[in-house]
Every structure is written in structure tokens, then in C-alpha cells.
Amino acid sequence: MVQASDFAFSGLHIPGNTSNAVGSRVTPVAVTQIPGLNTLGISMVRIDYAPWGINSLHTHPRATEILTVIEGSLEVGFVTSNPENRHITKIIKKGDVFVFPVGLIHYQRNIGYGNAVAIAALSSQNPGVITIANTIFGSKPDINTDLLAKAFQVDKSVVWQLQTKF
């Protein structure tokens, strides 16, 4: 039996705790939070940023994202696919909107001395998120150090150091 609570969420007015290594917090509103979103093809998030905080390089394998700045100013960007790998970037301010195409690696960074807030809509009830650094250097079990050192063209000691951080 479907109920009103299957279609509602409370809490987007509450700032997220940004006291972490990257200085941001994402509050999702997807099918896990609102079961009624199942099969509807939409979800959203609130993103809070501390001064100079980032929403680290990540991708959504199943969704395009459209982001609106509610407070502050953000540097936003994404990288196009191979072989061009073009970095598309822009500074956006309160009321501005930016789109991140499905599957492309993207980020946001608060470029202000105060907190920033953004709301984003995603074109899937289950967009998924792959945080690039966590995925590569924090996988369990670890990705082979020799492979990563060769892929990133760095010494294995650099890979080991990164793997200990994630």
C-alpha cells in the first residue's frame, strides 16, 4: 500500500556537515530516500561547501546533472571524453545553472571565503556516483601498484602513498 510518506522527504533545509577532508557534504534525495521515485527518472541533491571546499572529481554513470547555485560562487567543470579530453569550466554564482552531461567526470569548488550551497537535479532515480580518487586508490582489494604507477606515469611510492589516504 502506497502512502504519502513514499513520496516525501524532509531535511533539505538543513546544512550538511562539511567538516571533512574535502570540505563538502552531499545530501541525496533519490529512490533510497523517496521510494515513490522508483521508475520516475529523477532525483536531486543538496551540496554544502565549506570555504574552498570541493565536490571531488566524480561521475554519474546513469544521469545528467543540472546544478543551481543557491548561495556563494562555484568553479565548476567537466572533462569531455577521449581523445579530446577538453576541460570545460566556468565560474557560476547565485542563481546560475550549469549542466554536467551523463557519464562525464566533473567537479565543483567553492571559490569564496564563505559557505556555498547548490541544488542539483539528476535524470535518474538512481544516478550512481563514482568518486574518481576513492575508486582508483581506495578499492578493496587494491588495484595492482605496478599497474597504477604505469597508468599515471609515477613512481610506485606515489601510488602507495595515495592508497594509504583512501
Side-chain angles (χ1 to χ4, degrees), residues 82-155:
N82 295 341
E84 293 175 348
N85 295 320
R86 284 187 54 218
H87 180 206
I88 308 295
T89 186
K90 184 166 179 58
I91 303 298
I92 60 174
K93 298 175 168 79
K94 184 176 182 174
D96 292 346
V97 175
F98 195 82
V99 174
F100 304 102
V102 62
L104 295 184
I105 295 172
H106 61 282
Y107 66 90
Q108 303 100 41
R109 179 173 68 130
N110 181 359
I111 58 168
Y113 292 97
N115 293 333
V117 178
I119 297 287
L122 297 114
S123 63
S124 171
Q125 71 274 4
N126 185 17
V129 64
I130 300 169
T131 306
I132 306 308
N134 295 5
T135 301
I136 293 171
F137 298 109
S139 67
K140 299 295 180 231
D142 290 344
I143 297 173
N144 180 282
T145 304
D146 291 325
L147 185 147
L148 290 176
K150 191 168 190 170
F152 286 100
Q153 301 174 15
V154 297
D155 189 79

Side-chain angles (χ1 to χ4, degrees), residues 11 19 39-40 55 67-68 76 80 86 89 91 103 110 112 114-116 133 140 143 157:
S19 298
T39 75
L40 296 182
N55 188 7
L67 180 135
T68 303
V76 297
T80 65
R86 284 187 54 218
T89 186
I91 303 298
N110 181 359
N115 293 333
K140 299 295 180 231
I143 297 173
S157 64

Side-chain angles (χ1 to χ4, degrees), residues 41-53:
I42 58 169
S43 59
M44 65 186 302
V45 296
R46 173 188 170 132
I47 312 164
D48 290 278
Y49 309 85
W52 302 102

